[in-house]
Amino acid sequence: GGAKGAQREWDSCICYYGTAQPGRFKEYADLYLEHKGGKFENLLHLYKTRPDFLAKYESVWVMDDDVNIGCDQINKCFDLRERFDLWLMQPAFDPAGKISHAVTRLQPGPTLRYTNFIEMTCPLFEKAALDRFMAVFDPDLKGWGADWWFLQVQGVPPTHLDGKVAVADIVPCINPHDDVKPGQLREITKLQGRDDRVRVWERMKRT
């Protein structure tokens, strides 16, 4: 998607976690993996098996596969993260799609808003910030609470993340509602049910 003629200014790593169509989307990837698991679980697998691929990057975007965003918007997000020296950022969510947290909703105003929270749908990490999270991440966690965790491990209380975490209103995207997804079921629910995800997060918070 995106503006006509937009050129990709980033490399693409695709991890296919299904079984029905091996090699699906391979033609779009600079690095292609097949590994069953959740998003961050598969990213940890990449950290362990191909650290050479990741070592050369200053930013890493960990995105769900159904987010509606164009190539030119992705280019702009990478530029914003570098220009404002952010640890973490995300594009604002257009209200045409799913909004789980009010702070992520698209708002009129400046280029971006500094916050102390972004959610896990499409976080864009400074590489060092992602390294800090991957160093402690437990793959038993399939989703619930991961966003609080990757913020908490940055080494400062959430109230002290000012100037390092932001939502970019200048770059909106659409996070599709669950009822428009195939089978009306989130992929994460196929890996681990909601109640189990909550139980795992509650256990990890105490450790």
Side-chain angles (χ1 to χ4, degrees):
K4 185 176 181 179
Q7 297 295 311
R8 181 159 65 96
E9 299 173 358
W10 35 272
D11 294 332
S12 171
C13 174
I14 295 176
C15 182
Y16 180 67
Y17 51 80
T19 56
Q21 297 176 269
R24 189 182 184 191
F25 305 123
K26 188 173 183 178
E27 66 271 23
Y28 302 110
D30 296 287
L31 177 66
Y32 186 80
L33 307 170
E34 293 180 357
H35 190 263
K36 189 70 174 177
K39 179 169 61 176
F40 287 108
E41 183 180 1
N42 288 335
L43 181 59
L44 182 62
H45 172 72
L46 177 60
Y47 260 75
K48 291 179 176 179
T49 59
R50 289 296 307 271
D52 58 306
F53 180 78
L54 292 166
K56 56 190 174 184
Y57 299 107
E58 296 179 356
S59 304
V60 178
W61 203 341
V62 188
M63 188 182 294
D64 286 3
D65 59 9
D66 58 355
V67 174
N68 188 344
I69 188 170
C71 179
D72 55 328
Q73 295 166 296
I74 296 174
N75 291 343
K76 188 173 292 185
C77 281
F78 278 108
D79 177 67
L80 288 170
R81 195 223 59 81
E82 182 177 3
R83 190 181 351 148
F84 289 93
D85 192 26
L86 299 167
W87 289 342
L88 287 135
M89 66 164 281
Q90 70 157 83
F93 289 137
D94 190 300
K98 181 179 177 181
I99 308 287
S100 298
H101 304 275
V103 70
T104 65
R105 181 188 294 269
L106 178 63
Q107 297 182 16
T111 300
L112 53 78
R113 287 174 284 122
Y114 291 115
T115 71
N116 60 16
F117 178 82
I118 62 169
E119 68 156 89
M120 66 170 294
T121 300
C122 49
L124 173 56
F125 291 81
E126 178 193 54
K127 175 60 164 48
L130 182 58
D131 289 344
R132 290 191 284 271
F133 181 44
M134 288 290 99
V136 299
F137 177 69
D138 185 333
D140 282 348
L141 188 72
K142 304 301 183 187
W144 196 282
D147 34 26
W148 294 103
W149 198 1
F150 62 58
L151 290 161
Q152 186 271 334
V153 298
Q154 301 312 317
V156 296
T159 52
H160 296 166
L161 290 170
D162 292 351
K164 287 299 184 181
V165 179
V167 174
D169 292 300
I170 198 173
V171 192
C173 70
I174 295 177
N175 183 22
H177 289 286
D178 295 342
D179 60 6
V180 301
K181 297 180 180 182
Q184 298 185 352
L185 186 66
R186 297 178 66 199
E187 289 296 329
I188 192 68
T189 303
K190 298 176 185 178
L191 290 171
Q192 190 178 64
R194 180 186 183 279
D195 291 345
D196 288 336
R197 296 200 307 274
V198 173
R199 278 195 290 271
V200 170
W201 172 237
E202 292 297 328
R203 171 174 58 82
M204 290 185 177
K205 283 197 299 183
R206 294 192 294 268
T207 60

